[in-house]
């Protein structure tokens, strides 16, 4: 049985045009590299992929690509051209939809397909703005690019890709946003995550995560990350994608440039490795506050900061320090409060019932500008027993736990 692959590539770049035009437009490129094979795609790179879209990775050995190289030994025949290892496909169907952010003037994708593949651009009201068909091009070793451009004074809201099931792929998706059509602000969350305990002589990996959850894109961002040079030796830094780099290293300070980030939950990561000095004294706190500067469509110089990691030099096991959560109960209402998150980062909230019953999801919220999360939970329908309330931060990966008891009503 033949297996086919669909691939999409993400690279963020500024338009190489005049300064005036560059201020009015930004082009974003998706490469879909670095994701697990067969993982569902939802919000990614400023776009929203509707039901059925999945990432794929050639290195899984499940696809008959890349042409003309040798395919995995599953009985297939190499047919499709790809760019890189990652891709996107529509699982179990031949049609998939992509919702675009506001102000998109044009959309394009590189295509490899064994059957005709149709792209249709829709306006927000559902009217068709344009259609393009890519003819079969497998066994050619090339990707053909399709481009859809909105008519004057209109923008593209949705793209529909329609073809035969599992016989096409797309790569190097690009879209251009007209910033003049209602400029919107970015909203950034900068988080650091690291093991709680670092041992002398060992390698310590620090992940820096920057997410744009606003409705406007980020043109560029700069992160200043201090570190204790008396305790840590910088080894290397690995970005999650092209266009993110370490622009400068000074004693005790790393400067990271990210390039543009799309709206609606685009994020980048930088993994920085240090070696803990052999003579580093136990008990020394090595977490430092990182600072952020950025430009978007409405702010020339926005500012932000991260959480402070609770990392120390020690000999204890890693990831043992759960943080305390303040919990109070008045009547049938529980109130919770915790601080120390990265400002703006998403925090999942659930509680664990007694006797090992499955956790009960409460909600997901974002920490406020001071890195605090607080709220209330009704206990009206919660059975009597002893519970734990858990707050888990998605980017800094901190766990806050607080116990509470529900007493049976008399």
């Amino acid at each position: 049985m033949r297996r086919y692959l669909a691939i999409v590539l993400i690279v963020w770049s500024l338009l190489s045009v005049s300064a005036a035009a560059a201020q009015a437009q930004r082009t974003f490129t998706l490469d879909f590299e670095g994701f697990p094979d067969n993982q569902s795609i939802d919000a990614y790179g400023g776009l929203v992929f509707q039901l059925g879209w999945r990432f794929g990775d050639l290195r899984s050995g499940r696809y008959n690509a890349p042409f003309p190289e040798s395919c995995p030994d599953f009985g297939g025949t190499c047919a499709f051209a790809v760019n890189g290892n990652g891709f996107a496909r529509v699982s179990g169907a031949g049609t998939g939809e992509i919702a675009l952010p506001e102000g998109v003037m044009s959309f394009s994708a590189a295509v490899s397909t064994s059957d005709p593949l149709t792209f249709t651009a829709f306006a927000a009201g559902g009217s068709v703005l344009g259609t393009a068909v890519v003819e079969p091009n497998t066994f050619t070793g090339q990707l053909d690019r399709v481009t859809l451009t909105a008519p004057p004074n209109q923008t593209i809201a949705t793209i529909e890709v329609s073809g035969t099931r599992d016989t096409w792929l797309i790569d190097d998706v690009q879209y251009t946003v007209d910033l003049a059509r209602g400029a919107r602000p970015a909203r950034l969350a900068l988080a650091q995550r690291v093991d709680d305990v670092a041992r002398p002589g060992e390698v310590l990996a620090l992940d820096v995560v920057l997410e744009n959850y606003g409705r406007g894109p980020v043109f560029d961002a700069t992160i200043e990350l201090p570190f204790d040079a008396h305790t840590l030796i910088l080894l290397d830094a690995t970005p999650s994608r092209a266009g993110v780099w370490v622009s400068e290293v000074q004693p005790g300070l790393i400067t990271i440039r990210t390039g543009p980030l799309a709206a609606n939950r685009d994020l980048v990561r930088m993994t920085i490795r240090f070696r803990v000095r052999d003579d580093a004294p136990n008990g020394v706190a090595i977490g430092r506050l990182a600072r952020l500067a950025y430009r978007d469509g409405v702010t020339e110089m926005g500012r932000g900061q991260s959480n402070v990691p609770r990392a120390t030099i020690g000999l204890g096991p890693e990831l043992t320090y759960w943080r305390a959560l303040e919990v109070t109960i008045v009547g049938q209402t529980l109130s919770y409060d915790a601080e120390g998150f990265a400002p703006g980062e998403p925090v999942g909230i659930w509680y664990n019932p007694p006797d090992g019953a499955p956790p009960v999801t409460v909600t997901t919220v974002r920490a406020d500008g001071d890195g605090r999360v607080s709220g209330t939970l009704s206990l009206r329908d919660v059975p009597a027993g002893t519970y734990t309330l858990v707050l888990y931060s998605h980017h800094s990966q901190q766990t806050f736990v607080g116990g509470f008891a529900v007493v049976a009503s008399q």
Side-chain angles (χ1 to χ4, degrees), residues 61-333:
R62 300 177 57 224
Y63 307 100
N64 56 339
F67 179 91
E69 300 175 17
S70 298
C71 283
D73 187 19
F74 62 84
T77 301
C78 283
F80 289 83
V82 299
N83 186 0
N85 294 306
F87 64 91
R89 61 189 175 89
V90 176
S91 176
T95 299
E97 291 188 357
I98 306 172
L100 279 57
E102 295 183 29
V104 172
M105 304 166 57
S106 66
F107 175 94
S108 71
V111 178
S112 185
T113 181
S114 63
D115 297 288
L117 186 64
T118 301
F119 286 74
T120 305
F122 295 91
S127 61
V128 175
L129 298 178
T131 300
V133 177
V134 181
E135 299 299 331
N137 64 349
T138 48
F139 300 103
T140 65
Q142 70 181 36
L143 293 161
D144 292 328
R145 179 161 290 277
V146 58
T147 300
L148 292 165
T149 301
N153 301 318
Q154 297 191 60
T155 57
I156 305 172
T158 306
I159 294 290
E160 180 186 81
V161 185
S162 182
T164 305
R165 172 177 175 170
D166 292 337
T167 62
W168 55 266
L169 66 88
I170 59 176
D171 202 349
D172 295 346
V173 168
Q174 291 188 333
Y175 64 96
T176 299
V177 178
D178 181 1
L179 303 177
R181 293 176 181 258
R184 296 180 180 273
R187 301 185 68 184
L188 297 181
L190 175 62
Q192 299 182 68
R193 59 189 184 211
V194 68
D195 292 338
D196 290 323
V197 177
R199 299 178 181 87
E202 292 189 346
V203 174
L204 171 72
L206 169 66
D207 285 335
V208 180
V209 182
L210 180 63
E211 179 201 12
N212 176 20
Y213 61 99
R215 299 185 65 183
V218 175
F219 301 164
D220 54 68
T222 301
I223 300 169
E224 292 187 341
L225 176 70
F227 65 95
D228 185 355
H230 299 291
T231 304
L232 304 175
I233 301 172
L234 176 62
L235 299 178
D236 52 41
T238 304
S240 62
R241 70 184 185 211
V244 180
W245 74 100
V246 173
S247 62
E248 186 177 10
V249 176
Q250 300 178 14
L253 182 65
I254 302 168
T255 301
I256 301 169
R257 299 291 299 275
T258 70
L261 280 77
N264 302 320
R265 303 209 61 185
D266 185 21
L267 63 83
V268 294
R269 299 180 182 88
M270 175 76 77
T271 299
I272 303 171
R273 296 195 312 151
F274 301 91
R275 188 172 70 82
V276 183
R277 295 184 182 274
D278 296 333
D279 58 354
N282 289 338
V284 173
I286 56 177
R288 298 290 186 270
L289 180 75
R291 298 193 180 278
L292 170 71
Y294 66 93
R295 293 188 307 122
D296 63 13
V298 298
T299 306
E300 182 61 28
M301 191 54 68
R303 301 288 183 180
Q305 63 186 39
S306 74
N307 59 303
V308 178
R310 288 169 58 92
T312 59
I313 304 299
L315 301 177
E318 298 176 349
L319 302 176
T320 57
Y321 297 134
W322 286 7
R323 303 187 66 174
L325 171 65
E326 182 178 333
V327 175
T328 58
I329 297 177
V330 177
Q332 294 183 312
T333 300

Side-chain angles (χ1 to χ4, degrees), residues 335-351:
S335 299
Y336 53 87
D337 186 271
E339 58 182 347
F341 301 103
E345 75 168 316
V347 177
I349 303 175
W350 69 89
Y351 63 82

